[in-house]
Amino acid sequence: RVVCSAGTYVRVLAESVGERLGTGAHLAALRRTRAGTFRIDASVTLDALQQLVEAGATTKFLLTPDAALPLMPAVHLTDAEARAMRHGMALKIDDATATQRADGEHVRVCDAAGNLIAVGVYEAERELLRPRVVLSAE
């Protein structure tokens, strides 16, 4: 079993282990059991997916974009701030957590209802949150 970050070539790792042991090595099988917070036990087989699609039950397997970013800190905006962010405007952030943010830190930007609308980048010197990727139009 190997727990590794993205970009690790497990097949090359197996070859390196064999080399260090002075013998050949290869993988007979390779199976990813999770990627980040997504686990194989929460996945859907292709047959089950087909049945869900045919039944019109796509909400049973579709995840929100926010689900891909659970470890990224979030900022919640007022309706007016969210409107400005959706139009690509940088915002002055003066919430209590702003002083704890690192320059260049990426944050999830949510509207007042908690919906992910963008991914922003914090600019520490000017205490600004700039939209990096806007996901939601008005």
Side-chain angles (χ1 to χ4, degrees):
R1 291 185 176 263
V2 175
V3 177
C4 58
S5 63
T8 301
Y9 293 94
V10 177
R11 285 185 176 89
V12 173
L13 178 63
E15 291 173 11
S16 296
V17 169
E19 187 176 300
R20 298 280 305 266
L21 293 173
T23 183
H26 74 282
L27 294 180
L30 178 61
R31 180 180 173 147
R32 183 181 304 255
T33 58
R34 74 177 170 96
T37 60
F38 300 104
R39 303 186 68 77
I40 193 130
D41 55 2
S43 64
V44 177
T45 66
L46 290 176
D47 290 336
L49 178 61
Q50 182 66 41
Q51 292 172 358
L52 288 167
V53 168
E54 289 170 0
T58 55
T59 58
K60 294 194 185 267
F61 66 87
L62 289 179
L63 300 173
T64 65
D66 198 40
L69 308 170
L71 302 178
M72 189 179 289
V75 171
H76 295 269
L77 305 179
T78 65
D79 289 336
E81 290 170 330
R83 189 169 17 291
M85 181 67 61
R86 285 183 177 111
H87 289 279
M89 296 176 63
L91 300 172
K92 181 88 168 158
I93 300 297
D94 53 357
D95 69 352
T97 61
T99 58
Q100 300 168 4
R101 298 197 198 292
D103 189 49
E105 181 178 13
H106 287 80
V107 296
R108 290 179 296 141
V109 181
C110 302
D111 62 15
N115 301 308
L116 180 69
I117 63 167
V119 173
V121 177
Y122 184 65
E123 193 176 303
E125 186 176 320
R126 297 175 59 199
E127 295 181 341
L128 289 177
L129 180 60
R130 295 193 178 280
R132 178 83 168 102
V133 177
V134 178
L135 303 169
S136 171
E138 286 189 72

